[in-house]
Amino acid sequence: MIATGIVVEYNPFHNGHLFHLQEAKRQTDADTIIAVMSGNFLQRGEPAIVDKWTRTRMALAGGADLVIELPYAFATAHAPQFAKGAIQLLDALYCSYFCFGSEEGSIAPFTNSLTLISTQQQLYESAIKEAMREGISYPNALRKGYEAISHDTSIDLADLSEPNNILGFHYMQAANDIHSSMIPLTIERIGTHYHDPALPADSVASATSIRKSIFTNESAEDVQPFMPPTSYRLLKNWEDLNGFQSWDALYPLLRYSILREEPERLTEIADIREGIEFSFFRAAKEQTTFQGFMQAVKSKRYTWTSIQRMLVHILTGYRKATREQITDPSYIRLLGMTESGRCYLRSIKKQLPLPLVSRVASLSDPSLLMDIKSTDIYMSGIQSPAPTLGQDYRTPPIFV
Amino acid sequence: MIATGIVVEYNPFHNGHLFHLQEAKRQTDADTIIAVMSGNFLQRGEPAIVDKWTRTRMALAGGADLVIELPYAFATAHAPQFAKGAIQLLDALYCSYFCFGSEEGSIAPFTNSLTLISTQQQLYESAIKEAMREGISYPNALRKGYEAISHDTSIDLADLSEPNNILGFHYMQAANDIHSSMIPLTIERIGTHYHDPALPADSVASATSIRKSIFTNESAEDVQPFMPPTSYRLLKNWEDLNGFQSWDALYPLLRYSILREEPERLTEIADIREGIEFSFFRAAKEQTTFQGFMQAVKSKRYTWTSIQRMLVHILTGYRKATREQITDPSYIRLLGMTESGRCYLRSIKKQLPLPLVSRVASLSDPSLLMDIKSTDIYMSGIQSPAPTLGQDYRTPPIFV
């Protein structure tokens, strides 16, 4: 049986995701699509608008056969760590291929870039260090390093100023690092540009523009044309029950936790460094909205995303001491499966290098405890009705 | 000039308080009444229903000339520590008298009890230790110790099973400990018994029964007959602007902070000991209301009040390490004054043994920082409108 892996957030699952999933299946002739999906907090340092079980249902309805949770420790990390967690899980699940969406659309430029960096490692790294010393953000420093080694070459390289190309590059690098036998494959992203916030007239829109439409119009109705029917129905159900989750909704909890911790204790939180805790503390005292808070703390040294990631870690109480305990994925957390996914799992079950977790109570692991905790905190921010916590303990894998 | 000190919470200020204040003034022929008043969190481990500035205005309107904040570290502590903080502040302000309400109503039984305990110290303390070993709560152990030394004496002793007698006894003991020259005076509490929750027909009701009426009827209107008109108007204004503060309203923040800290970090919080952190963590996961939470965690070993005090400390992030830095009051925080209070202050200003704080920014002190922090967290729990924090920095002493 052939399994193809994809790495997803599905925030929410839309027609572009459906296209990618179907193409990945078609191009690899896969029997099984395995989606490694982030839990309730995402790579850009944001809560997902609907919870991980709703998004699991969307994924299964859209054609995924197995949905595996990318643990919090990787899902909310910068690109190299995010990619490492996702690729290691897909490799552990014996995928023959992994397939990612990119602006580039073909795999050769990525391979060329990887080769170039590995042969010019020293120049690359010293250019990055140099740029960091000048006080620019990490992603920009990476770009500088890349420019330093690529400016006078004529080979076809991946354009690493594009967000999906960057992730794709890190998937390839992570696969390389573990000598994975998985074959990489990329599909060009269709529809609007990733960051384009305007809804286009046809049937594909980015998740970013879909979320923007939802929050601007305070309703999900306008985004119906851009989502598969089941996905849209699940989105509406969640909205009716809980309202969409967002930083705006979670800000009172974030603000409270910053005030309660005070600057001194904030430094124990993952990613907090170089005095930014004082800026957070001041802003929490003064700002009554999340947008106001972000405007008050933004700086040249950090990207918006990296600040949001710090804030997610403050919100969930994710500490440096906990992060140091988590280097590689240590379990395979099953969120959902189809009959075909179940067959595939049965066929590889005995050779799995990591424990397969269907019930979280069966394993005590710092990374898994962090997944459970972050779910509870995600739900704590839901206003109506009184949130039910401990869902990770009560929710069995979804089977459709 | 003669100053008489009183120790108050005014939650809210009612006719019984007015009576006590007038009697204290009359019986001591005082020029100045100095009220040491708890801030936003109180001795029974609860938030005040209205904030400290509103209660300061009530106190000034009711006849107090100076309102001094009892710092958080003392205001939320058990009786001996609470009394120590209050008495030291009144002593530092050169009060000639301190006057407390009690069930007993005359001072001799308190003096007798003090003498008895100091002469039978060993028997008293060993009886307390013995009782604690049996796993009963600290107040009950104190009672056992007291019974052990008082059961075969015929002298007139204070009945230390009554809540106001207990506080009065500790005021006397605290004054004794610092060899204060203040003369103690007690006034019998009138009206309903302290814990009696039913509203009586005449004009005096306990603060407990007033709060109960407010929360049961979700309105302040029924309590108007029991409060001076200005006090009632201030209460209504606060209600209209902010709603009354309560554990029910603060529970989402408490619950979130328990989930975020996890049992391991909860043990760093003041008063948390002997594994109760696990019981708190379990209850926070399961209980959606404060009442449900308290039912789930109550135990024979701790009184309801001592559990609530632990919860206040969790809510405000008051840690053992901070508490250890605070042994005695280290400043005199002025919340409000009348013209007469200002004259008195001027007359003693040069001899004050502690810094007088009118603007909190003028002093950096762990206890004062805790007062500021607890105000911000008290306000964070106010739902409408978006709370303004940092009020301790912005609010000058109230002058009427």
Side-chain angles (χ1 to χ4, degrees):
Chain A
M1 291 167 88
I2 294 174
T4 294
I6 55 179
V7 184
V8 303
E9 291 191 329
Y10 292 160
N11 186 37
F13 187 93
H14 56 60
N15 290 340
H17 295 131
L18 182 66
F19 170 79
H20 178 84
L21 208 153
Q22 288 170 341
E23 273 300 291
K25 189 160 186 159
R26 190 186 63 77
Q27 292 189 22
T28 60
D29 203 16
D31 304 293
T32 309
I33 294 286
I34 303 182
V36 167
M37 189 183 81
S38 303
N40 291 318
F41 291 95
L42 307 180
Q43 213 248 331
R44 290 173 69 188
E46 290 171 343
I49 60 171
V50 303
D51 79 346
K52 62 187 180 190
W53 286 288
T54 305
R55 284 153 48 237
T56 297
R57 289 181 189 281
M58 290 175 173
L60 296 172
D65 298 297
L66 284 175
V67 181
I68 305 297
E69 181 167 358
L70 182 63
Y72 175 93
F74 304 94
T76 60
H78 55 34
Q81 181 76 356
F82 177 91
K84 176 185 173 178
I87 289 297
Q88 286 193 19
L89 284 172
L90 292 178
D91 190 71
L93 284 157
Y94 297 97
C95 288
S96 304
Y97 302 90
F98 68 93
C99 180
F100 57 93
S102 67
E103 292 80 3
E104 204 62 52
S106 67
I107 211 73
F110 291 98
T111 318
N112 294 340
S113 296
L114 259 184
T115 309
L116 179 69
I117 285 177
S118 67
T119 54
Q120 308 241 25
Q121 195 81 26
Q122 274 199 325
L123 179 55
Y124 178 63
E125 284 175 2
S126 68
I128 293 172
K129 269 189 196 152
E130 172 68 24
M132 295 285 285
R133 258 198 302 275
E134 287 165 16
I136 66 172
S137 71
Y138 183 68
N140 282 331
L142 280 187
R143 199 170 304 159
K144 293 263 185 193
Y146 192 58
E147 279 167 16
I149 58 173
S150 62
H151 64 87
D152 59 354
T153 175
S154 61
I155 48 169
D156 189 14
L157 297 172
D159 174 2
L160 295 192
S161 67
E162 294 285 355
N164 290 281
N165 286 350
I166 293 174
L167 273 178
F169 172 80
H170 285 292
Y171 296 143
M172 304 256 312
Q173 197 163 44
N176 223 30
D177 288 347
I178 59 167
H179 311 290
S180 172
S181 61
M182 291 190 295
I183 298 165
L185 196 78
T186 188
I187 294 169
E188 191 180 347
R189 288 171 58 88
I190 57 164
T192 56
H193 186 274
Y194 188 64
H195 283 308
D196 187 347
L199 278 182
D202 58 51
S203 74
V204 176
S206 70
T208 304
S209 62
I210 287 176
R211 291 194 301 275
K212 189 172 161 82
S213 166
I214 284 174
F215 287 115
T216 307
N217 306 327
E218 290 175 33
S219 146
E221 268 159 43
D222 287 353
V223 304
Q224 186 164 8
F226 309 102
M227 296 177 68
T230 305
S231 189
Y232 179 74
R233 189 176 48 73
L234 288 161
L235 187 78
K236 276 298 287 175
N237 280 355
W238 172 275
E239 184 193 14
D240 294 345
L241 271 175
N242 304 296
F244 293 119
Q245 188 55 291
S246 68
W247 261 129
D248 291 335
L250 287 168
Y251 183 62
L253 294 185
L254 174 70
R255 188 184 195 193
Y256 163 67
S257 67
I258 293 174
L259 294 172
R260 182 178 177 281
E261 290 283 51
E262 303 176 75
E264 194 191 329
R265 318 275 305 182
L266 287 176
T267 59
E268 294 176 13
I269 297 292
D271 290 356
I272 301 287
R273 59 188 183 279
E274 292 165 7
I276 200 167
E277 67 275 14
F278 295 105
S279 150
F280 286 177
F281 190 64
R282 255 194 321 274
K285 287 224 168 204
E286 287 162 13
Q287 301 298 327
T288 55
T289 66
F290 184 71
Q291 291 308 314
F293 181 93
M294 286 300 289
Q295 288 302 330
V297 303
K298 71 178 181 188
S299 83
K300 265 209 307 205
R301 184 171 284 272
Y302 301 103
T303 60
W304 188 280
T305 297
S306 66
I307 291 175
Q308 287 200 152
R309 267 186 224 129
M310 295 180 208
L311 299 178
V312 164
H313 299 331
I314 292 174
L315 182 77
T316 60
Y318 182 53
R319 294 189 161 76
K320 290 178 173 120
T322 308
R323 189 182 52 189
E324 277 162 21
Q325 295 176 282
I326 307 168
T327 51
D328 299 279
S330 46
Y331 51 88
I332 296 167
R333 169 77 192 280
L334 182 62
L335 289 177
M337 59 188 160
T338 60
E339 182 55 42
S340 149
R342 176 142 75 171
C343 282
Y344 179 76
L345 259 192
R346 204 174 293 141
S347 77
I348 58 163
K349 209 163 185 176
K350 290 195 174 145
Q351 299 120 275
L352 284 177
L354 298 174
L356 180 70
V357 174
S358 301
R359 292 174 44 254
V360 295
S362 68
L363 186 74
S364 177
D365 178 289
S367 175
L368 186 60
L369 288 175
M370 197 59 220
D371 297 346
I372 296 167
K373 180 180 179 182
S374 66
T375 297
D376 279 345
I377 286 176
Y378 179 90
M379 292 306 296
S380 295
I382 302 277
Q383 288 306 314
S384 60
T388 305
L389 306 188
Q391 295 193 318
D392 274 294
Y393 289 98
R394 280 190 282 268
T395 314
I398 292 161
F399 181 64
V400 293
Chain B
M1 291 167 90
I2 294 174
T4 294
I6 55 179
V7 185
V8 303
E9 292 190 327
Y10 291 160
N11 186 38
F13 186 93
H14 57 58
N15 290 340
H17 295 132
L18 183 65
F19 170 79
H20 177 83
L21 210 153
Q22 288 171 338
E23 274 298 293
K25 190 160 184 158
R26 191 185 64 76
Q27 292 189 21
T28 60
D29 202 15
D31 305 293
T32 309
I33 293 286
I34 303 182
V36 167
M37 190 183 80
S38 303
N40 291 318
F41 292 95
L42 307 180
Q43 212 248 331
R44 291 173 69 187
E46 289 172 344
I49 61 172
V50 303
D51 80 346
K52 61 187 179 189
W53 285 288
T54 306
R55 283 153 48 236
T56 296
R57 289 181 189 281
M58 290 175 173
L60 294 172
D65 298 297
L66 285 174
V67 181
I68 305 298
E69 181 167 356
L70 182 64
Y72 175 93
F74 303 94
T76 60
H78 55 33
Q81 181 75 356
F82 177 91
K84 176 185 173 178
I87 289 298
Q88 286 193 20
L89 284 171
L90 292 178
D91 190 70
L93 283 157
Y94 296 96
C95 287
S96 302
Y97 301 88
F98 67 93
C99 179
F100 56 93
S102 68
E103 292 81 4
E104 205 62 52
S106 65
I107 211 73
F110 291 99
T111 318
N112 294 341
S113 295
L114 261 184
T115 309
L116 178 70
I117 285 177
S118 67
T119 54
Q120 307 240 24
Q121 195 82 22
Q122 274 200 325
L123 178 55
Y124 178 62
E125 284 175 2
S126 69
I128 292 172
K129 269 190 196 153
E130 172 68 23
M132 294 287 283
R133 258 199 302 275
E134 286 165 17
I136 66 172
S137 71
Y138 181 68
N140 282 330
L142 280 188
R143 199 170 305 159
K144 293 262 184 192
Y146 192 57
E147 280 167 15
I149 57 172
S150 62
H151 64 87
D152 57 356
T153 175
S154 60
I155 48 170
D156 189 13
L157 296 172
D159 175 2
L160 296 192
S161 67
E162 294 286 355
N164 290 282
N165 287 349
I166 293 175
L167 273 178
F169 171 80
H170 285 292
Y171 296 144
M172 304 256 311
Q173 197 164 44
N176 223 31
D177 288 348
I178 58 166
H179 310 290
S180 172
S181 60
M182 291 190 294
I183 298 165
L185 196 78
T186 189
I187 295 169
E188 191 180 347
R189 289 172 58 88
I190 56 164
T192 55
H193 186 273
Y194 189 63
H195 283 309
D196 188 346
L199 278 182
D202 58 53
S203 73
V204 176
S206 70
T208 305
S209 62
I210 287 176
R211 291 194 302 275
K212 189 171 162 82
S213 166
I214 285 173
F215 287 115
T216 307
N217 305 328
E218 290 177 32
S219 146
E221 270 160 40
D222 288 353
V223 305
Q224 186 165 9
F226 308 102
M227 295 176 69
T230 305
S231 188
Y232 179 73
R233 189 177 47 73
L234 288 161
L235 187 80
K236 275 300 286 176
N237 280 356
W238 172 274
E239 184 193 16
D240 293 344
L241 270 175
N242 304 294
F244 293 118
Q245 188 55 290
S246 68
W247 262 129
D248 291 335
L250 288 168
Y251 183 62
L253 294 184
L254 173 71
R255 188 184 194 193
Y256 162 68
S257 67
I258 293 173
L259 293 171
R260 184 179 177 281
E261 290 284 52
E262 303 176 76
E264 194 191 328
R265 318 275 305 185
L266 287 177
T267 59
E268 295 176 13
I269 297 292
D271 290 356
I272 301 286
R273 59 188 183 277
E274 291 165 7
I276 199 166
E277 66 274 14
F278 295 104
S279 151
F280 287 177
F281 190 64
R282 257 196 318 273
K285 287 225 168 205
E286 287 163 13
Q287 301 298 328
T288 56
T289 66
F290 184 71
Q291 291 308 314
F293 181 92
M294 285 300 290
Q295 289 301 329
V297 303
K298 71 178 182 188
S299 83
K300 265 209 307 206
R301 184 171 286 271
Y302 302 103
T303 61
W304 189 278
T305 296
S306 66
I307 291 175
Q308 287 200 152
R309 268 187 224 130
M310 296 181 209
L311 299 178
V312 165
H313 298 332
I314 292 173
L315 181 78
T316 60
Y318 182 54
R319 294 190 163 75
K320 289 177 174 123
T322 308
R323 190 182 52 189
E324 278 161 23
Q325 295 177 280
I326 307 168
T327 51
D328 299 281
S330 47
Y331 51 88
I332 296 168
R333 168 78 191 281
L334 182 62
L335 289 178
M337 58 188 161
T338 60
E339 182 54 44
S340 148
R342 177 144 74 171
C343 283
Y344 179 77
L345 258 192
R346 205 174 293 142
S347 77
I348 59 163
K349 210 163 183 175
K350 289 193 174 145
Q351 298 120 275
L352 284 178
L354 299 174
L356 180 70
V357 174
S358 301
R359 292 175 44 253
V360 296
S362 68
L363 186 76
S364 177
D365 177 290
S367 174
L368 186 60
L369 288 175
M370 197 60 219
D371 296 346
I372 296 167
K373 181 181 180 183
S374 65
T375 296
D376 279 344
I377 286 176
Y378 179 90
M379 291 306 297
S380 296
I382 302 277
Q383 288 307 314
S384 60
T388 305
L389 307 188
Q391 295 195 317
D392 274 295
Y393 289 98
R394 279 191 283 268
T395 313
I398 292 162
F399 181 63
V400 294

